[in-house]
Amino acid sequence: MATLQERFKRITTFIFDVDGVMTDGSVNALESGEQFRTFNIRDGYAIERAVHSGYRVAVLSAGSQVGVRKRLEFLKIKDIFMGGPTEQKIYAYLGYLNRDQINEAEVLYMGDDIPDFQVLSRPNLLSTCPADAADEIKAVCDYVSPVPGGRGAVRDVIEQVMKAQGKWLSWLTDVEPFKLHNER
């Protein structure tokens, strides 16, 4: 059986749930009926680095809030699957893999609650969850982040993968140092 580090090295695709993973699971309900979420900026930075480095990043969520979709689009996530029935996440997941011919052994999925159970239980993907995931989810995951959902768990798994592959800070060596006008 491959070690966790070896499995991190194989990842080409990240798939994330939203509520409880990219957010802390809180829903703020306004009098207008709008429900908004709060996202972690460091998670967003890691997602941008992953996309820029050529990883596939997808989101699979039963929610369908316009504001959430706009945030995901701002992060340059192209594969956004939102609004399906919670108990049918498995079908959206399998459809995505089939559509893009993605090798399941190269997928890292992060979920936090019972609707993610069928996906996280698949033996070939790298199943992950935040520290505050449901106990049933923690029991089936290959990696439980030490960080709670919405507080950096997404960044944790992206960093783990990119560091294992030598890509996390590799872009820094490509950046020309900024020189002040009076430096020559």
Side-chain angles (χ1 to χ4, degrees):
M1 183 105 176
T3 67
L4 189 57
Q5 201 65 11
E6 290 167 340
R7 293 182 74 196
F8 283 145
K9 288 180 182 179
R10 291 194 299 234
I11 299 304
T12 62
T13 304
F14 295 98
I15 304 175
F16 299 106
D17 179 27
V18 174
D19 292 327
V21 171
M22 298 179 91
T23 75
D24 67 4
S26 297
V27 176
N28 298 289
L30 302 178
E31 192 174 312
S32 67
E34 181 183 359
Q35 299 178 14
F36 69 91
R37 279 40 173 198
T38 301
F39 290 83
N40 184 291
I41 197 75
R42 290 186 181 133
D43 285 346
Y45 176 75
I47 289 168
E48 287 178 336
R49 292 289 357 129
V51 169
H52 182 76
S53 296
Y55 293 91
R56 285 185 188 98
V57 178
V59 168
L60 184 59
S61 176
S64 59
Q65 295 75 26
V66 173
V68 170
R69 180 174 288 280
K70 286 182 179 182
R71 172 68 180 155
L72 300 174
E73 290 170 350
F74 175 81
L75 294 173
K76 307 288 188 261
I77 298 173
K78 292 184 174 92
D79 296 309
I80 302 170
F81 305 95
M82 294 178 66
T86 24
E87 67 277 358
Q88 294 185 9
K89 277 188 169 185
I90 186 70
Y91 300 118
Y93 169 79
L94 294 172
Y96 173 56
L97 266 55
N98 187 50
R99 184 194 79 185
D100 290 7
Q101 299 188 345
I102 299 170
N103 178 348
E104 194 170 33
E106 297 174 355
V107 174
L108 179 149
Y109 183 94
M110 180 174 262
D112 73 308
D113 208 349
I114 303 305
D116 301 301
F117 186 86
Q118 287 182 301
V119 176
L120 290 168
S121 296
R122 295 186 59 82
N124 293 325
L125 70 82
L126 180 54
S127 57
T128 67
C129 67
D132 57 346
D135 290 339
E136 297 86 351
I137 296 303
K138 289 180 187 178
V140 298
C141 282
D142 300 310
Y143 176 75
V144 177
S145 173
V147 185
R151 301 285 183 241
V154 169
R155 178 170 176 147
D156 174 49
V157 294
I158 290 173
E159 258 191 67
Q160 296 283 346
V161 167
M162 292 183 76
K163 284 179 178 178
Q165 297 178 10
K167 295 180 181 179
W168 178 243
L169 294 178
S170 63
W171 64 275
L172 285 176
T173 59
D174 298 333
V175 176
E176 186 72 30
F178 177 77
K179 294 186 183 210
L180 296 175
H181 180 67
N182 60 358
E183 287 183 44
R184 298 208 181 183

